[in-house]
Amino acid sequence: MSSDKFGTSPDYKRKEQGYRDRALKLYPWVCGRCAREFVYSNLKELTVHHIDHDHTNNPNDGSNWELLCIYCHDNEHAKYTDHAQYKTEVVAGENNHEAATFNPFADLKSMLKK
């Protein structure tokens, strides 16, 4: 297995910065799980998660990435720790969570009339 997959190769940080920059250009700055919105001042808290957990799989279209806040990203990877401890089943890339649907601006027009 490549040391890049574990983030230990000498040029990993350079590669990581490359796909992070591309992901931030492709996707809105919103966590894909909790829908927390980010601005430039707190952008460091938004991470790029590899859906198949292979950090060397970085297609140009971003199909293996999703932006997650640091808390949701930690939760995603904690599934594997929980699996080892509680013998649950975890499949890389499996999307068994409810997508965030909250839209803070849904009723903006009526709020502005108040």
Side-chain angles (χ1 to χ4, degrees):
M1 196 172 287
S2 162
S3 62
D4 273 355
K5 187 164 184 159
F6 299 109
T8 58
S9 73
D11 64 341
Y12 177 78
K13 287 292 182 196
R14 180 184 53 79
K15 288 180 180 178
E16 179 185 36
Q17 189 60 39
Y19 70 73
R20 178 176 165 73
D21 289 343
R22 287 187 294 168
L24 291 173
K25 289 177 185 172
L26 281 171
Y27 297 112
W29 295 355
V30 175
C31 176
R33 300 291 162 86
C34 68
R36 178 179 167 199
E37 296 181 14
F38 291 82
V39 294
Y40 188 77
S41 62
N42 67 350
L43 193 58
K44 65 181 176 282
E45 297 175 16
L46 188 62
T47 64
V48 178
H49 173 66
H50 288 81
I51 296 169
D52 68 358
H53 295 268
D54 181 358
H55 290 241
T56 61
N57 182 10
N58 294 304
N60 287 328
D61 66 354
S63 58
N64 189 36
W65 305 326
E66 64 180 333
L67 296 178
L68 299 178
C69 71
I70 56 175
Y71 307 107
C72 291
H73 200 175
D74 285 349
N75 183 279
E76 178 66 25
H77 287 278
K79 290 178 188 177
Y80 292 90
T81 307
D82 293 347
H83 167 68
Q85 186 173 0
Y86 301 112
K87 307 296 185 225
T88 58
E89 185 176 348
V90 178
V91 179
E94 185 177 75
N95 188 1
N96 60 355
H97 68 279
E98 292 291 321
T101 58
F102 177 71
N103 182 355
F105 303 110
D107 198 26
L108 184 61
K109 190 174 185 177
S110 67
M111 285 191 264
L112 289 174
K113 290 180 180 179
K114 290 181 181 180

